[in-house]
Amino acid sequence: MTLTDSSRGKIISEVNQAIESFLLSVRDTNTLAEQVEVALLESREYVTVHSPLKPINQTIFPLFSASSEHRALGQGLDVAINMLRTAVAESKQKGHTCRRPWCVVITDGQASDVWEDTAARLKAWSEDRSIIPVIINVGDKEDGLDEYSCIPTCHASGEQLKEILDWVKQSIALVACANPGDTVRLLSPPQFDVQTI
């Protein structure tokens, strides 16, 4: 999550409500509560790990803020990618089956730090299906965010974020209910046909 001063007030309030509703809904769904682990990070000038990767039943839901001119998106993604890849490697070492990790990013625009190498790595892992990145932009349409993933960026207002997070939950549920090795066809993410939100 990385939102700047431009998202203060109504947008950050809607984003916090949508995230809390999403996390509570996942936690209250038995199939998901048993399988989903969550880490919550926020990037502004630097990265803050509000909650390290752990079962959703043990996760405390923070309030995110919009209080900076900067989006350390590249740095935030590096931290998130390292967390996810470490967790997958540790699961494999222990002989556990691990589902492909998702990386859901909520931003209000392009990174303000150096992000090109991170974007290239994340897109490569997206294409080879090592990580499923979902980039959600809650601001003016920002085509540059497509550099991060083979899944098109979802552009939405704060009010529309809930619909996209509902899609994320439905998609994770489809994966959670499948047997290891099954091919799961996800529905297309909702797209809102607007240039500026």
Side-chain angles (χ1 to χ4, degrees), residues 101-156:
W102 290 58
C103 181
V104 178
V105 178
I106 300 171
T107 184
D108 59 4
Q110 188 58 265
S112 59
D113 60 349
V114 177
W115 60 273
E116 289 84 358
D117 290 345
T118 301
R121 277 196 309 278
L122 188 56
K123 188 155 191 174
W125 287 322
S126 172
E127 289 169 349
D128 78 7
R129 300 180 179 173
S130 297
I131 293 176
I132 301 172
V134 177
I135 312 296
I136 305 168
N137 185 58
V138 291
D140 291 342
K141 188 165 183 180
E142 180 65 67
D143 292 325
L145 292 168
D146 288 332
E147 297 291 326
Y148 294 101
S149 175
C150 61
I151 298 172
T153 301
C154 299
H155 297 278

Side-chain angles (χ1 to χ4, degrees), residues 137-194:
N137 185 58
V138 291
D140 291 342
K141 188 165 183 180
E142 180 65 67
D143 292 325
L145 292 168
D146 288 332
E147 297 291 326
Y148 294 101
S149 175
C150 61
I151 298 172
T153 301
C154 299
H155 297 278
S157 68
E159 289 176 350
Q160 296 162 331
L161 178 59
K162 183 181 182 318
E163 189 174 335
I164 295 172
L165 292 177
D166 285 346
W167 168 81
V168 170
K169 180 191 167 197
Q170 291 169 356
S171 300
I172 292 171
L174 285 173
V175 172
C177 291
N179 294 316
D182 284 356
T183 298
V184 178
R185 300 244 179 252
L186 303 179
L187 299 172
S188 296
Q191 294 289 330
F192 301 99
D193 188 23
V194 288

Side-chain angles (χ1 to χ4, degrees), residues 28-43:
D28 292 342
T29 304
N30 289 338
T31 308
L32 297 179
E34 295 168 2
Q35 297 185 44
V36 173
E37 292 188 359
V38 176
L40 299 170
L41 291 76
E42 185 169 17
S43 293

Side-chain angles (χ1 to χ4, degrees), residues 41 43-47 71-80 113-115 118:
L41 291 76
S43 293
R44 292 190 299 266
E45 291 89 358
Y46 53 87
V47 180
R71 296 181 199 96
L73 190 52
Q75 183 185 8
L77 284 169
D78 278 336
V79 172
D113 60 349
V114 177
W115 60 273
T118 301

Side-chain angles (χ1 to χ4, degrees), residues 77-98:
L77 284 169
D78 278 336
V79 172
I81 289 167
N82 289 336
M83 275 184 173
L84 294 173
R85 291 178 62 82
T86 299
V88 168
E90 287 175 352
S91 283
K92 287 181 178 176
Q93 275 185 337
K94 293 175 183 173
H96 300 153
T97 301
C98 181

